[in-house]
Amino acid sequence: MEETYLLNVEGVKKKILHGGQGELPKLQDGSKFTFHFQTLKDDFERTVIDDSREAGMPMEIIVGKMFKLEIWETLLSSMRIGEVAEFWCDAIHTGMYALVSRGMRRIAEGRDPLEGQKHRCGMGNMFDYHSTGYDDLDELQRTPQPLIFIMELFRVRGMAGMVPEREQLAQAAQLLLLAQVEDPSAYKRDTWAMSKEEKLAAVPVLHSEGNRLVLRREFAQAAAKYQEAVICLRNLQAKEKPWEDGWLKLENLVTPLVLNYCQCQLELGEYYEVLEHTTELLQKHNDNAKAYFKRAKAHAAVWNEREAREDFQRVAHLDPSMAAAVKKELKQLGERMRKKHVEDRKRYQGLFQSSQGV
């Protein structure tokens, strides 16, 4: 079941990836959620920021103990046992994520999550840090942005007793080393839940499915397949050192998938989407003639004549075998621009005559 809908909370969207069982849990202060989560950026690659599965153990938070990222309690409260859901949260809910993630990462590293922290409110502590110690979290701290949380809820239990203030963040984020957790419900594994080997195996399958859908002219569905394959590879690439052999091998797999995705977007008329992704690709690979060609077509479609001509000329220079295709595109561009100029003149003349008639 895949259904996107708004929770009764401003700036939150929920999509159920796998339905849970029973009724919504009845919660009270002290109830404990046990769950896996993944945090993603809301970008094309859905860049992974944190993933509890990397440590192999689920997480827990306790209701009513003022967990610093309050929206998580709301999200988990909307889930049934065994449910897997994806939540899009606007920046109004994610401003504290860098601080929370910093604490969780320190715990996973066996360090004190509150090391160096003054006894102040969470927001005050945020401004005390010149750096969280993690480059990606520093970026989030400087520029709060929408985030995507994928959560799989295993268990909700009542829990009596108070938790000392200093332990709240640690207990909210700790890995449950001795947890007796049920096996995850059976469901079609989404990209976020795949192992490295599964992601590598999924890429050629997704690529092939995308190609098959293109032949059927189902471009939106094909684009989704290519994008999912890119996400698999980007997740793997994040664990490699940029521009070293492992990273480059994955990048060579990413590039044709992004180009295929852009071709689908051209067919769908999503020209600014094409401009964004081809430009990003060319920042890394400025000799890719196919990327210039697709960007040129997108520029032409949105009447950026100068940029289109420049890109088409780069294509002919980089790949002489595409010269004939470039010549055809430039001819069509010239004809479209002349037609547009004639129509614009007629329109302006009509407006001028109307104003004189008044």
Side-chain angles (χ1 to χ4, degrees), residues 261-280:
Y261 174 86
C262 288
Q263 183 60 42
C264 290
Q265 298 304 319
L266 281 173
E267 298 286 352
L268 294 167
E270 299 291 344
Y271 304 119
Y272 290 102
E273 182 89 354
V274 177
L275 292 175
E276 177 184 350
H277 295 301
T278 51
T279 298
E280 183 179 346

Side-chain angles (χ1 to χ4, degrees), residues 32-38 50-62 67 72 76 97 100-101 103-105 107-108 150-155 169-177 179 181:
K32 181 173 67 176
F33 292 108
T34 303
F35 63 101
H36 267 307
F37 79 94
Q38 190 180 53
D50 290 307
D51 187 346
S52 65
R53 290 181 179 274
E54 288 293 314
M57 293 289 177
M59 310 290 285
E60 68 176 25
I61 66 173
I62 301 168
F67 183 52
W72 270 20
L76 290 162
Y97 186 78
V100 171
S101 177
M104 292 190 292
R105 291 184 187 187
I107 290 165
I150 300 178
M151 294 178 164
E152 180 174 7
L153 180 60
F154 294 140
R155 178 182 295 169
L169 178 59
Q171 193 162 32
Q174 70 183 1
L175 302 177
L176 302 178
L177 299 176
V181 181

Side-chain angles (χ1 to χ4, degrees), residues 199-212:
K199 287 173 183 174
L200 284 172
V203 169
V205 175
L206 291 165
H207 198 158
S208 178
E209 289 178 356
N211 293 347
R212 178 178 56 81

Side-chain angles (χ1 to χ4, degrees), residues 79-95:
M79 300 176 67
R80 293 172 169 80
I81 303 299
E83 181 177 320
V84 182
E86 176 179 311
F87 300 91
W88 177 90
C89 294
D90 202 355
I92 59 174
H93 300 296
T94 64

Side-chain angles (χ1 to χ4, degrees), residues 221-238:
Q221 295 88 334
K225 296 295 182 183
Y226 295 136
Q227 182 179 20
E228 188 175 353
V230 170
I231 290 167
C232 286
L233 293 169
R234 290 297 192 206
N235 287 348
L236 294 172
Q237 213 175 23

Side-chain angles (χ1 to χ4, degrees), residues 328-344:
K328 179 181 177 181
E329 292 290 341
L330 286 172
K331 181 180 178 182
Q332 290 177 351
L333 175 61
E335 292 172 351
R336 288 181 67 239
M337 295 307 300
R338 282 192 292 273
K339 183 178 179 181
K340 183 177 185 294
H341 293 326
V342 170
E343 291 174 351
D344 288 346

